[in-house]
Protein backbone atom coordinates (compact mmCIF):
# COMPACT_ATOMS: atom_id res chain seq x y z
CA UNK A 1 0.00 0.00 0.00
CA UNK A 2 2.81 2.39 0.95
CA UNK A 3 4.68 1.46 -2.22
CA UNK A 4 1.62 2.33 -4.34
CA UNK A 5 1.30 5.74 -2.63
CA UNK A 6 5.00 6.50 -3.12
CA UNK A 7 4.95 5.42 -6.76
CA UNK A 8 1.89 7.62 -7.46
CA UNK A 9 3.59 10.65 -5.91
CA UNK A 10 6.80 10.07 -7.84
CA UNK A 11 4.92 9.27 -11.03
CA UNK A 12 2.80 12.40 -10.82
CA UNK A 13 5.95 14.51 -10.56
CA UNK A 14 8.05 12.73 -13.19
CA UNK A 15 5.46 11.81 -15.80
CA UNK A 16 4.71 15.36 -16.93
CA UNK A 17 8.41 15.89 -17.62
CA UNK A 18 8.79 12.87 -19.87
CA UNK A 19 5.40 12.63 -21.56
CA UNK A 20 4.96 14.85 -24.69
CA UNK A 21 1.18 14.88 -24.15
CA UNK A 22 1.74 16.75 -20.92
CA UNK A 23 3.14 19.65 -22.95
CA UNK A 24 -0.32 20.25 -24.33
CA UNK A 25 -1.60 20.82 -20.84
CA UNK A 26 1.04 23.49 -20.35
CA UNK A 27 -0.51 25.44 -23.24
CA UNK A 28 1.94 24.25 -25.86
CA UNK A 29 1.03 23.20 -29.36
CA UNK A 30 2.86 21.98 -32.43
CA UNK A 31 4.06 24.21 -35.23
CA UNK A 32 5.74 22.22 -37.94
CA UNK A 33 8.11 19.86 -36.21
CA UNK A 34 8.46 21.71 -32.93
CA UNK A 35 6.43 22.50 -29.85
CA UNK A 36 5.64 26.18 -29.26
CA UNK A 37 3.55 28.12 -26.80
CA UNK A 38 -0.02 28.71 -28.00
CA UNK A 39 0.47 32.46 -27.74
CA UNK A 40 3.42 32.30 -30.14
CA UNK A 41 1.72 30.04 -32.68
CA UNK A 42 -0.83 32.56 -33.95
CA UNK A 43 1.93 35.10 -34.56
CA UNK A 44 4.06 32.46 -36.29
CA UNK A 45 1.16 31.44 -38.54
CA UNK A 46 0.50 35.10 -39.35
CA UNK A 47 4.15 35.55 -40.27
CA UNK A 48 4.04 32.57 -42.61
CA UNK A 49 1.07 34.02 -44.52
CA UNK A 50 2.65 37.49 -44.56
CA UNK A 51 5.84 36.06 -46.02
CA UNK A 52 4.18 33.93 -48.71
CA UNK A 53 1.34 36.30 -49.65
CA UNK A 54 2.84 37.36 -52.98
CA UNK A 55 3.50 33.72 -53.97
CA UNK A 56 0.46 32.15 -52.30
CA UNK A 57 -1.34 31.18 -55.50
CA UNK A 58 1.80 29.70 -57.05
CA UNK A 59 2.45 27.82 -53.82
CA UNK A 60 -1.10 26.40 -53.95
CA UNK A 61 -0.55 25.35 -57.57
CA UNK A 62 2.62 23.48 -56.63
CA UNK A 63 1.30 21.88 -53.44
CA UNK A 64 -2.00 20.75 -54.96
CA UNK A 65 -0.73 20.16 -58.51
CA UNK A 66 -3.38 22.68 -59.62
CA UNK A 67 -6.23 20.80 -57.96
CA UNK A 68 -7.11 23.83 -55.80
CA UNK A 69 -8.40 25.53 -58.94
CA UNK A 70 -10.81 22.65 -59.56
CA UNK A 71 -11.95 22.76 -55.91
CA UNK A 72 -12.65 26.48 -56.17
CA UNK A 73 -14.49 26.05 -59.46
CA UNK A 74 -16.57 23.28 -57.89
CA UNK A 75 -17.32 25.45 -54.85
CA UNK A 76 -18.58 28.30 -57.00
CA UNK A 77 -20.58 25.85 -59.11
CA UNK A 78 -22.27 24.49 -55.97
CA UNK A 79 -22.91 28.04 -54.70
CA UNK A 80 -24.70 28.77 -57.95
CA UNK A 81 -24.18 32.54 -57.61
CA UNK A 82 -26.75 34.88 -59.08
CA UNK A 83 -27.04 38.62 -59.69
CA UNK A 84 -28.09 40.41 -56.53
CA UNK A 85 -26.37 37.85 -54.32
CA UNK A 86 -24.44 38.80 -51.18
CA UNK A 87 -21.41 36.62 -50.45
CA UNK A 88 -18.81 36.73 -47.69
CA UNK A 89 -15.49 35.11 -48.54
CA UNK A 90 -13.77 34.52 -45.19
CA UNK A 91 -9.98 34.05 -45.37
CA UNK A 92 -10.25 34.92 -49.05
CA UNK A 93 -7.16 37.15 -49.14
CA UNK A 94 -5.98 36.72 -52.73
CA UNK A 95 -9.53 36.85 -54.08
CA UNK A 96 -9.63 33.59 -56.04
CA UNK A 97 -13.12 32.59 -54.96
CA UNK A 98 -14.49 36.14 -55.14
CA UNK A 99 -13.23 36.57 -58.71
CA UNK A 100 -14.81 33.26 -59.71
CA UNK A 101 -18.13 34.31 -58.18
CA UNK A 102 -18.11 37.62 -60.04
CA UNK A 103 -17.10 35.88 -63.30
CA UNK A 104 -19.97 33.44 -62.86
CA UNK A 105 -22.49 36.18 -62.11
CA UNK A 106 -21.32 38.25 -65.06
CA UNK A 107 -21.56 35.28 -67.43
CA UNK A 108 -25.06 34.54 -66.15
CA UNK A 109 -26.03 38.16 -66.66
CA UNK A 110 -24.79 38.15 -70.23
CA UNK A 111 -26.53 34.88 -71.07
CA UNK A 112 -29.83 35.07 -69.23
CA UNK A 113 -30.41 38.67 -68.25
CA UNK A 114 -29.23 40.51 -71.32
CA UNK A 115 -30.49 44.09 -71.21
CA UNK A 116 -32.53 43.53 -68.05
CA UNK A 117 -31.45 46.11 -65.49
CA UNK A 118 -27.88 44.88 -65.56
CA UNK A 119 -26.49 47.92 -63.77
CA UNK A 120 -29.08 47.71 -60.97
CA UNK A 121 -28.40 44.02 -60.43
CA UNK A 122 -24.67 44.66 -60.49
CA UNK A 123 -25.09 47.30 -57.78
CA UNK A 124 -27.10 44.89 -55.63
CA UNK A 125 -24.50 42.13 -55.96
CA UNK A 126 -21.91 42.27 -53.17
CA UNK A 127 -18.93 39.98 -52.72
CA UNK A 128 -17.06 40.79 -49.52
CA UNK A 129 -13.54 39.46 -49.08
CA UNK A 130 -12.10 39.42 -45.59
CA UNK A 131 -8.83 38.09 -44.27
CA UNK A 132 -6.99 38.49 -40.99
CA UNK A 133 -3.74 39.03 -42.90
CA UNK A 134 -3.40 42.45 -44.50
CA UNK A 135 -0.63 41.25 -46.85
CA UNK A 136 -2.98 38.65 -48.30
CA UNK A 137 -5.68 41.29 -48.79
CA UNK A 138 -3.19 43.60 -50.49
CA UNK A 139 -2.32 40.84 -52.94
CA UNK A 140 -6.04 40.36 -53.58
CA UNK A 141 -6.52 44.09 -54.20
CA UNK A 142 -3.60 44.11 -56.63
CA UNK A 143 -5.04 41.13 -58.48
CA UNK A 144 -8.45 42.83 -58.62
CA UNK A 145 -6.86 45.88 -60.23
CA UNK A 146 -5.04 43.65 -62.76
CA UNK A 147 -8.38 42.04 -63.64
CA UNK A 148 -10.01 45.44 -64.13
CA UNK A 149 -12.14 45.13 -61.00
CA UNK A 150 -10.69 48.17 -59.23
CA UNK A 151 -13.82 50.23 -59.77
CA UNK A 152 -16.26 47.33 -59.43
CA UNK A 153 -18.69 48.29 -56.68
CA UNK A 154 -19.68 44.64 -56.23
CA UNK A 155 -16.28 43.64 -54.89
CA UNK A 156 -15.53 44.83 -51.40
Amino acid sequence: MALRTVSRKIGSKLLPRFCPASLLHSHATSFGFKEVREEEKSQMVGNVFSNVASNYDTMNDLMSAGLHRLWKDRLVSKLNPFPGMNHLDVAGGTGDVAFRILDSINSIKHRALLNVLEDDLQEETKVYVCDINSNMLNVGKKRALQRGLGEDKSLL
Side-chain angles (χ1 to χ4, degrees):
M1 182 68 97
L3 182 60
R4 184 181 301 159
T5 305
V6 170
S7 67
R8 282 187 186 158
K9 285 184 180 180
I10 291 172
S12 67
K13 292 186 189 234
L14 292 178
L15 187 60
R17 294 182 185 182
F18 298 110
C19 179
S22 66
L23 290 174
L24 295 177
H25 298 294
S26 67
H27 303 289
T29 185
S30 61
F31 182 78
F33 297 106
K34 62 183 178 179
E35 294 292 319
V36 297
R37 293 179 50 86
E38 287 181 357
E39 299 81 24
E40 295 171 9
K41 184 174 181 176
S42 62
Q43 184 177 3
M44 294 171 87
V45 170
N47 289 341
V48 167
F49 281 96
S50 291
N51 292 333
V52 301
S54 61
N55 297 314
Y56 185 74
D57 297 316
T58 303
M59 188 177 74
N60 273 344
D61 279 334
L62 292 172
M63 289 191 311
S64 73
L67 256 148
H68 75 105
R69 295 177 184 274
L70 296 174
W71 297 333
K72 291 171 186 174
D73 289 341
R74 174 82 178 203
L75 170 69
V76 172
S77 169
K78 290 291 184 180
L79 279 174
N80 196 19
F82 53 88
M85 173 186 184
N86 287 318
H87 178 79
L88 173 62
D89 186 0
V90 178
T94 62
D96 276 359
V97 173
F99 301 149
R100 281 174 169 78
I101 289 170
L102 288 173
D103 288 346
S104 177
I105 289 171
N106 287 331
S107 70
I108 290 169
K109 282 186 353 185
H110 290 303
R111 276 188 289 126
L113 300 171
L114 196 60
N115 296 325
V116 180
L117 301 172
E118 285 189 31
D119 292 335
D120 291 341
L121 286 173
Q122 182 73 18
E123 290 292 322
E124 292 175 19
T125 302
K126 300 291 182 204
V127 180
Y128 300 89
V129 180
C130 71
D131 200 297
I132 195 169
N133 190 293
S134 61
N135 289 359
M136 295 290 283
L137 283 173
N138 288 335
V139 169
K141 288 177 185 176
K142 183 179 177 183
R143 291 184 66 211
L145 289 172
Q146 290 170 343
R147 292 173 138 257
L149 297 171
E151 299 298 318
D152 191 329
K153 294 178 182 163
S154 295
L155 182 61
L156 304 163

